[in-house]
Amino acid sequence: VQLQAYGGGLVQPGGSLRLSCAASGSIRRIDDMGWYRQAPGNQRELVARITSGGTTHYTDSVKGRFTIVRDNAKNTVNLQMNSLEPEDTAVYYCNANILTYSWQRSDYWGQGTLVTVSS
């Protein structure tokens, strides 16, 4: 099983970016999917999560600015980030809780994509 993340980059404050993540491999079912981030010197923190049924959870600092969406048929999860602030600068990681065809359940992580918000 692999998670591949895309979409990071440099953006000015107030701008937007869209992160995408695709899961592939021997996947029987994907439960929760989410995005985490880690800024220099900080611990990795949850940004947003979404259940297979579409229930979402956001950390307070991104509520109203970020939107997480998933496509269960394509095994993808996207994070639309609007009104970006310098404090959003971090490496963003996608995460998925996956049950494989061999009945193994694990948390999988993407490789991380850097988001830099700066003028």
Side-chain angles (χ1 to χ4, degrees):
V1 173
Q2 282 191 319
L3 265 61
Q4 185 71 42
Y6 308 88
L10 173 64
V11 63
Q12 292 187 341
S16 298
L17 277 177
R18 184 171 179 261
L19 305 183
S20 298
C21 178
S24 61
S26 180
I27 298 170
R28 180 179 296 273
R29 187 178 71 242
I30 302 178
D31 293 314
D32 287 8
M33 303 184 82
W35 289 92
Y36 290 70
R37 66 186 179 188
Q38 187 167 18
N42 289 356
Q43 290 186 332
R44 191 174 298 188
E45 64 170 355
L46 172 68
V47 177
R49 286 193 71 82
I50 184 168
T51 68
S52 58
T55 300
T56 58
H57 169 79
Y58 298 92
T59 193
D60 286 346
S61 63
V62 308
K63 285 180 181 177
R65 301 188 298 122
F66 291 11
T67 303
I68 188 169
V69 177
R70 67 187 283 174
D71 185 327
N72 291 332
K74 296 181 180 179
N75 291 337
T76 60
V77 60
N78 297 329
L79 185 69
Q80 178 66 42
M81 305 185 293
N82 299 329
S83 302
L84 282 160
E85 303 168 353
E87 293 75 20
D88 296 316
T89 296
V91 177
Y92 284 70
Y93 299 89
C94 62
N95 169 269
N97 186 264
I98 295 174
L99 179 67
T100 68
Y101 279 115
S102 59
W103 297 101
Q104 300 294 315
R105 177 180 295 283
S106 295
D107 268 341
Y108 291 87
W109 293 89
Q111 79 281 16
T113 183
L114 177 62
V115 172
T116 303
V117 184
S118 175
S119 55

